[in-house]
């Protein structure tokens, strides 16, 4: 496992670690500089334009491009940036490996909300304890442009099935108590990010502005995570053996 330099750890404070582990998410401002984030945003849009058939999901909710890091040097530099891995490892407190990245674009003016959901129930390792996702703003993301809202403490609900992120009632029908829990909306400047646990319930507001919302997500899982045999777009083509560890070449250690 490669170790990040001490400078890479500066943005994460002990208070952030406590907040993340208590609430299931935390905001980390200025993980990268604003100009760097905007340049990454241009690179992400260039990738999407150059790979029109690579989107995993395209709807009025968002356009999603998965594992861009494997196809494009600029995306690889972003996903594999040591500051990202260092912050995720500091917050999770365990050895991690990359699960996948994804470019998430909410188109301007017409997109709908991404409704409350947990991420981990979709994955072929849904019972691992420490999945963590970094969601970085590659443009300014006020509430009107599709920013994230979280339900603090909801990562404690570890037994829920996959939810429909297009259905506002899906998660709440499975776990009615969440209807009454506090919700926290987190606007971000370019270069700011959030980290959230794979079981922390979250949603994204519609993009009501006239500019696309561009974000990049890097997802990490426990380093010793085995493939459980469930279907998933990332692992289906790989011929993996259930119960075996994920291969380092495609899911590198953080």
């Amino acid at each position: 496992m490669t170790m990040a330099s001490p400078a890479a750890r500066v943005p994460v404070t002990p208070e952030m670690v406590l907040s993340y582990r208590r609430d299931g998410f935390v905001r980390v401002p200025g993980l990268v500089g604003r100009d760097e984030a905007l340049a990454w945003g241009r690179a992400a849009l260039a990738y999407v334009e150059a790979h029109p058939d690579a989107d995993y999901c395209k709807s009025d909710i968002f356009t999603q491009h998965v594992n861009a890091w494997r196809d494009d040097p600029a995306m690889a530099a972003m996903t594999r940036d040591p500051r990202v891995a260092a912050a995720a490892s500091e917050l999770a407190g365990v050895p991690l490996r990359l699960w996948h990245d994804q470019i998430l674009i909410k188109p301007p003016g017409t997109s709908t909300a991404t409704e409350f959901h947990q991420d981990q129930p979709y994955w072929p390792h849904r019972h691992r304890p420490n999945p963590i996702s970094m969601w970085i703003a590659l443009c300014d993301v006020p509430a009107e442009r599709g920013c994230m809202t979280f339900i603090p403490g909801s990562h404690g609900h570890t037994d829920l099935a996959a939810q429909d992120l297009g259905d506002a009632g899906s998660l709440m029908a499975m776990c009615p108590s969440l209807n009454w829990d506090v919700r926290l909306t987190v606007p971000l400047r370019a270069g700011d990010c959030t980290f959230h646990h794979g079981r922390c319930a979250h949603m994204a507001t519609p993009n009501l502005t006239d500019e696309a919302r561009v974000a990049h997500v890097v997802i990490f899982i426990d380093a010793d995570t085995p493939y459980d045999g469930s279907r998933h777009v990332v692992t289906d083509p790989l011929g993996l053996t259930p119960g075996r560890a994920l291969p380092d070449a495609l899911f590198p250690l953080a």
Side-chain angles (χ1 to χ4, degrees), residues 1 26-27 32-33 50 53 92 96 102 114 120 123 126 134 151-152 155 162 169 176 182 193 227 230-231 241 248 250:
M1 182 181 303
V26 69
R27 175 178 177 266
V32 303
D53 298 323
L96 299 172
Q102 55 190 10
T114 309
Q120 192 176 30
W123 297 335
R126 57 182 57 95
M134 180 209 69
I151 301 180
H155 60 309
V182 170
C193 67
Y227 170 58
S230 303
R231 299 202 63 185
T241 301
D248 291 352
L250 297 176

Side-chain angles (χ1 to χ4, degrees), residues 35 79 106 126 190 222 225-226 244:
D35 290 345
T79 295
K106 267 190 178 292
R126 57 182 57 95
D222 297 77
T225 295
R244 297 285 297 274

Side-chain angles (χ1 to χ4, degrees), residues 29-252:
L31 184 72
V32 303
R34 178 178 178 81
D35 290 345
E36 188 176 8
L38 294 174
W40 279 359
R42 292 190 293 271
L45 290 171
Y47 174 86
V48 169
E49 184 175 356
H51 298 79
D53 298 323
D55 54 306
Y56 165 56
C57 176
K58 190 171 186 177
S59 69
D60 60 350
I61 298 176
F62 53 59
T63 299
Q64 179 185 30
H65 290 254
V66 174
N67 272 333
W69 76 276
R70 296 184 187 171
D71 300 325
D72 183 88
M75 293 296 98
M78 187 188 323
T79 295
R80 302 288 288 142
D81 189 292
R83 291 168 293 185
V84 174
S89 298
E90 191 81 8
L91 292 166
V94 297
L96 299 172
R97 70 171 63 247
L98 178 66
W99 168 224
H100 67 77
D101 68 0
Q102 55 190 10
I103 302 168
L104 289 179
I105 298 175
K106 267 190 178 292
T110 58
S111 64
T112 58
T114 309
E115 300 294 353
F116 275 112
H117 65 283
Q118 299 172 312
D119 294 330
Q120 192 176 30
Y122 294 95
W123 297 335
H125 36 74
R126 57 182 57 95
H127 299 299
R128 301 301 295 168
N130 299 294
I132 182 171
S133 297
M134 180 209 69
W135 194 106
I136 188 166
L138 303 184
C139 62
D140 288 340
V141 186
E144 299 78 15
R145 190 169 286 151
C147 76
M148 298 273 275
T149 296
F150 301 92
I151 301 180
S154 53
H155 60 309
H157 297 281
T158 60
D159 58 349
L160 301 180
Q163 303 104 38
D164 181 353
L165 52 77
D167 178 358
S170 178
L171 175 61
M172 304 310 169
M174 293 182 188
C175 191
S177 65
L178 291 176
N179 279 297
W180 312 108
D181 288 351
V182 170
R183 305 174 185 191
L184 184 61
T185 298
V186 187
L188 300 175
R189 294 279 196 179
D192 296 346
C193 67
T194 57
F195 286 83
H196 67 269
H197 188 280
R199 286 281 180 174
C200 183
H202 59 284
M203 60 88 67
T205 57
N207 182 2
L208 304 178
T209 73
D210 57 2
E211 297 181 23
R213 187 219 67 193
V214 186
H216 190 64
V217 182
V218 183
I219 306 168
F220 298 94
I221 53 179
D222 297 77
D224 61 351
T225 295
Y227 170 58
D228 74 4
S230 303
R231 299 202 63 185
H232 191 275
V233 65
V234 168
T235 47
D236 287 351
L238 302 180
L240 301 178
T241 301
R244 297 285 297 274
L246 295 170
D248 291 352
L250 297 176
F251 306 93

